[in-house]
Amino acid sequence: MNNTFRTMMKVVALLVTCHLSLLTCNAQKFALIDMDYVFKNIPAYERANEQLSQVSKKWQAEVDALTTEAQTMYKNYQNEVVFLSAEQKKDRQDAIMQKEKSASDLKRKYFGPEGELFKKRTALMTPIQDEIYNAIKDVAEQRGYQLILDRASDTGIIFGSPKIDISDEVLRKLGYAI
């Protein structure tokens, strides 16, 4: 009888735990936001993207110019190699390799993981992203949301009711009337 009582108590405890967890799940509030939509409606973000695009094109042109120079030097070398002495061949090869290294170094400087483009993107975008995050946080706290998902990302959201989309509310909080 003692084992039966313990088993029954375990079942009751399990049922109470399940019931409380269901109540907790039902009490949570969720919302969706479309970050692409939010970003597209913030002029500062669009300006920053345009700035990044222009500086990226400028830097890529510099890298391309060095690469083209190296390719031209190599083609000229191939055409003249039969007329060059061993020392001249070595000098030309060294010059070509140096030009290729310069192009590679410049590319890394501008576009590498810690390159100038990364630094510029961070400097331009971080303040905008921080402002958006704070607005989202304020809306979440005011409306009691425990979780906000980005419908624009690949999170696997199959359906999201427009009623829980707070994108326009976040834009209003940021001062962009929609």
Side-chain angles (χ1 to χ4, degrees), residues 4-21:
T4 306
F5 181 72
R6 285 186 185 152
T7 304
M8 199 159 91
M9 290 305 290
K10 288 180 184 178
V11 170
V12 169
L14 181 65
L15 288 173
V16 169
T17 303
C18 287
H19 181 69
L20 288 176
S21 67

Side-chain angles (χ1 to χ4, degrees), residues 16 71 169 172:
V16 169
Q71 289 170 346
E169 190 171 348
R172 279 192 298 279

Side-chain angles (χ1 to χ4, degrees), residues 138-176:
D138 288 348
V139 169
E141 289 172 355
Q142 288 171 359
R143 300 211 21 211
Y145 295 124
Q146 284 82 31
L147 179 68
I148 297 177
L149 300 170
D150 181 8
R151 76 167 52 225
S153 70
D154 295 330
T155 56
I157 297 172
I158 304 300
F159 171 78
S161 171
K163 293 177 184 176
I164 63 171
D165 189 328
I166 61 168
S167 302
D168 286 333
E169 190 171 348
V170 168
L171 285 168
R172 279 192 298 279
K173 186 92 175 156
L174 290 166
Y176 301 101

